[in-house]
Amino acid sequence: QVQLVESGGGLVQPGGSLRLSCAASGNIFSINTMGWYRQAPGKQREMVAIIISGGSTNYAEPVKGRFTISRDNAKNTVYLQMNSLKPEDTAVYYCYANVVRQGTMSSSAYWGQGTQVTVFS
C-alpha cells in the first residue's frame, strides 16, 4: 500500500503565501510524476503543477509565476510554494503521485486526501 500525507494548508490573506507538503510512504520502489491538483466547490478538478523525477515541471496558466513545485526524491516528498495568493486560489488541494511499487513493473496513480486552502480578506 501507498499513502500520501499532505500538510500546510490553511487560511491566508490575499497576497500571502503558503507552502504545501506531501510525503509518500509505503511499498514504494520509485516515484515518477508527482503533482498538485485542486478543486473548488462546483468546479472541476484541475492540474495546478506537476514535476517528474528528473525535475521537469508544468504549471497551470493561472498559477504561473506565483507557484513553485519542487520535490525531494530521497524523502518521497513534493512541495508547492504558493506566493501572491488570490481568492480564486481557494480550493481543496490534492497531492498526486505516480508510483512504481516494490515487486511490480508498472506504475499506479495515488492521491492524497486533500487539504483546504482558503484565501480571504
Side-chain angles (χ1 to χ4, degrees):
Q1 61 272 38
V2 174
Q3 300 84 36
L4 304 181
V5 179
E6 301 155 326
S7 62
L11 279 62
V12 66
Q13 293 184 354
S17 298
L18 285 174
R19 185 173 185 261
L20 305 183
S21 300
C22 173
S25 61
N27 189 30
I28 298 171
F29 176 75
S30 64
I31 302 178
N32 298 323
T33 302
M34 301 188 80
W36 294 92
Y37 292 69
R38 68 186 183 186
Q39 186 170 23
K43 300 176 68 175
Q44 190 162 252
R45 184 178 297 190
E46 64 177 352
M47 186 274 289
V48 177
I50 58 173
I51 183 169
I52 64 173
S53 180
S56 179
T57 60
N58 282 293
Y59 296 92
E61 283 293 336
V63 309
K64 285 183 178 178
R66 300 188 296 119
F67 292 9
T68 302
I69 189 170
S70 61
R71 63 190 287 174
D72 186 334
N73 290 333
K75 297 180 179 179
N76 291 327
T77 299
V78 64
Y79 307 92
L80 186 67
Q81 179 66 46
M82 303 184 293
N83 298 326
S84 301
L85 282 161
K86 304 175 180 180
E88 49 263 46
D89 295 318
T90 296
V92 177
Y93 284 69
Y94 296 91
C95 179
Y96 163 85
N98 189 248
V99 177
V100 179
R101 291 169 292 175
Q102 294 179 3
T104 73
M105 292 170 37
S106 60
S107 62
S108 300
Y110 292 89
W111 293 89
Q113 80 287 346
T115 184
Q116 178 70 48
V117 172
T118 302
V119 185
F120 69 99
S121 60

